């Protein structure tokens, strides 16, 4: 079913006429002084549209700093009055929504630990019914695009049209370089399925470490994301949450100055011709790939037929081990990544097994003619 999401085009949003749409501010509001001082320095950059600060903090373990609560909303209201920045915070239940709206918060976001839970997202959406506020939905912590779209749909059904998504990466059990795995194909597929929905990248929570902020931000810009949400604190090393990933407003300025903003459409018409020609070649190769896969599956079916007649199991691990070793060596020698060879060949193998299972289980016992 096509997602039921009506959004105002990003360009109609305040601040969306500049790209990237920037949201910045501390992970958490800690003290009035920290909130105000960080905000003043961020306002001076003249590039940020929304000032963020977490008021209620979802923490992995208890006894960590869990946010200052309603006091922080007063500080955000003061930021808005003094700097003219829009202000935003995370809401995780209906009470948070009512409190935030009472203090004139302009933008609310639903965090990754909340967007996994349809009951809570519905509760928040009901509290938002008929309210004109900007709402951004972070991806759920698990890599489930339908769940992410479902959460966005719930908010859309409440009548919110200034609506967007935040890509903050996905949890993994294994330790990886980044704190959360980007799985870029998921926001890319979100863009394909809901083309008008603005997508903001949150490199702070993807990276978990400030040294990776620039490379992730650049990648997001190259993938044509609409904006960035970056955590910034006047004294990152002393931050009460997410210290390693925060940068000073000055470092944020430096990071932004190094971002290269490439255009999604080439301005030189000759380039369009060149790209068009190259894309034609890609289309031909894609068709060839499909033809080859079809042929490969036909052979797998014939093998399945022989296995059926001779009562042999479908899965023969030694044969599979041989194939994967061979294609790994071959593919890597041709500059293809291990990860891609692994993903593609696992999928091909699974598809072959599925075709063979179909042959095994179809009524006839004799080998049928292959086309
Ligand atoms: C945050 O933005 O501070 C936050 C808690 O993010 P996430 O929901 O992505 O963990
Ligand atoms: Mn944080």
């Amino acid at each position: 079913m096509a997602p039921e999401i009506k959004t105002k085009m990003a360009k109609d949003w305040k601040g969306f006429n500049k790209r990237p749409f920037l949201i910045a501010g501390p992970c958490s509001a800690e003290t009035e002084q920290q909130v105000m001082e960080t905000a003043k320095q961020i306002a001076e950059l003249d590039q940020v549209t929304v000032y963020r600060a977490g008021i209620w903090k979802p923490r992995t373990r208890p006894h960590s700093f869990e946010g200052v609560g309603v006091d922080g909303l007063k500080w955000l209201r003061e930021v808005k009055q003094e700097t003219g920045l829009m202000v935003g915070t995370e809401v995780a239940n209906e009470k948070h929504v009512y409190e935030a709206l009472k203090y004139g918060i302009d933008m609310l976001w639903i965090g990754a630990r909340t967007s996994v839970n349809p009951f809570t997202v519905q509760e928040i959406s009901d509290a938002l019914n008929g309210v004109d506020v900007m709402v951004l939905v972070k991806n759920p912590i698990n890599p489930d695009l339908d769940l992410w779209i479902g959460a966005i749909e719930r908010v859309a059904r409440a009548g919110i049209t200034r609506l967007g998504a935040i890509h903050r990466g996905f949890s993994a059990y294994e330790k990886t370089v980044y704190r959360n795995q980007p799985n870029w194909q998921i926001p890319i597929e979100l863009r394909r399925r809901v083309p008008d929905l603005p997508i903001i990248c949150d490199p702070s929570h993807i990276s978990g470490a400030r040294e990776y902020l620039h490379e992730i931000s650049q990648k997001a810009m190259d993938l044509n994301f609409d904006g960035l949400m970056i955590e910034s604190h006047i004294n990152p090393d002393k931050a009460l949450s997410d210290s390693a990933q925060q940068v000073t407003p000055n470092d944020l300025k430096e990071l932004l100055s190094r971002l290269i903003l490439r255009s999604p459409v080439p301005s030189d018409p000759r380039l369009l011709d060149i790209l068009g020609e190259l894309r034609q070649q890609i289309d031909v190769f894609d068709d060839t790939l499909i033809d080859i896969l079809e042929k490969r599956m036909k052979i797998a079916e014939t093998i399945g037929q022989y296995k059926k007649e001779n009562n042999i199991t479908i899965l023969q691990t030694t044969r599979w081990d041989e194939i994967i070793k061979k294609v790994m060596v071959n593919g890597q020698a041709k500059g293809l990544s291990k990860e891609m060879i692994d993903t593609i060949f696992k999928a091909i193998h699974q598809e072959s097994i599925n075709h063979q299972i179909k042959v095994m289980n179809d009524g006839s016992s004799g080998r049928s003619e292959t086309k």
Side-chain angles (χ1 to χ4, degrees), residues 27 57 205 231 242 245:
C27 176
K57 298 303 298 176
H205 290 90
E231 287 186 341
D242 289 351
Q245 71 196 32

Side-chain angles (χ1 to χ4, degrees), residues 286-302:
D286 284 348
D287 288 346
T288 313
L289 275 174
I290 296 285
D291 286 348
I292 290 175
L293 286 173
E294 187 210 7
K295 290 197 178 94
R296 194 190 188 286
M297 292 311 149
K298 286 266 148 62
I299 296 179
E301 285 170 17
T302 310

